Amino acid sequence: MFKHIVVPVDGSETAMQAVAKAAELAKAFDSKITLVSVVDNYPFTGLGGDYVFGQAEYLNAAKANAQSALERAHAALSGQGLVCEQSIVEDHVIHDGILNTVQATSADLIVMGSHGRHGIEKLLLGSVTLRVLGRSPVPVLVVRTM
């Protein structure tokens, strides 16, 4: 039914729950899995040398965190005998990075976590999951925080 599953990971427990659900689906449907971690490559604005230094430091730290999240998810899948591809994508808009990965890999399902934010926090921070749901050309399975 599903041949290729994209799973966005950010190092959170919710993302790991999505990895576990994707593993179940991959076993059931003999699906390929692509793990993706999106790094916002332009999180702040500024001018001058301090900005350039700060931007480089941020990108190095963000990519290291993304790599760590991917390695953790990869280890969980490998422990179940599953093979997956991994990708760090730089994009100023996180949901666009996820959806571009879906398009680039011809995936037919996204499995992702919901952080379960409510009230003012959701209003201020927005919801990557909600944006993916609203724009995705393929089905999205949202794994709720347990």
Side-chain angles (χ1 to χ4, degrees), residues 26-77:
K27 288 177 186 176
F29 297 117
D30 194 29
S31 306
K32 180 178 178 179
I33 296 177
T34 296
L35 301 170
V36 61
S37 189
V38 182
V39 172
D40 182 350
N41 57 0
Y42 198 68
F44 55 91
T45 59
L47 297 171
D50 289 340
Y51 166 74
V52 173
F53 177 75
Q55 180 72 5
E57 289 295 311
Y58 160 78
L59 280 175
N60 288 337
K63 286 180 183 177
N65 286 337
Q67 186 61 44
S68 176
L70 288 171
E71 288 172 2
R72 183 174 174 212
H74 180 265
L77 294 173

Side-chain angles (χ1 to χ4, degrees), residues 26-130:
K27 288 177 186 176
F29 297 117
D30 194 29
S31 306
K32 180 178 178 179
I33 296 177
T34 296
L35 301 170
V36 61
S37 189
V38 182
V39 172
D40 182 350
N41 57 0
Y42 198 68
F44 55 91
T45 59
L47 297 171
D50 289 340
Y51 166 74
V52 173
F53 177 75
Q55 180 72 5
E57 289 295 311
Y58 160 78
L59 280 175
N60 288 337
K63 286 180 183 177
N65 286 337
Q67 186 61 44
S68 176
L70 288 171
E71 288 172 2
R72 183 174 174 212
H74 180 265
L77 294 173
S78 294
Q80 297 183 50
L82 295 168
V83 177
C84 66
E85 293 184 6
Q86 303 173 55
S87 179
I88 295 176
V89 174
E90 290 184 37
D91 200 313
H92 181 56
V93 181
I94 303 300
H95 65 270
D96 282 347
I98 295 166
L99 295 173
N100 290 340
T101 301
V102 168
Q103 183 177 16
T105 61
S106 299
D108 54 3
L109 177 67
I110 302 169
V111 177
M112 64 188 303
S114 169
H115 287 285
R117 292 187 181 110
H118 300 287
I120 193 72
E121 184 180 37
K122 182 176 182 179
L123 180 65
L124 293 175
L125 298 175
S127 170
V128 172
T129 304
L130 189 59

Side-chain angles (χ1 to χ4, degrees), residues 7-36:
V7 185
V9 295
D10 60 5
S12 68
E13 287 307 313
T14 307
M16 291 306 295
Q17 290 174 6
V19 168
K21 184 59 69 178
E24 292 175 27
L25 291 168
K27 288 177 186 176
F29 297 117
D30 194 29
S31 306
K32 180 178 178 179
I33 296 177
T34 296
L35 301 170
V36 61

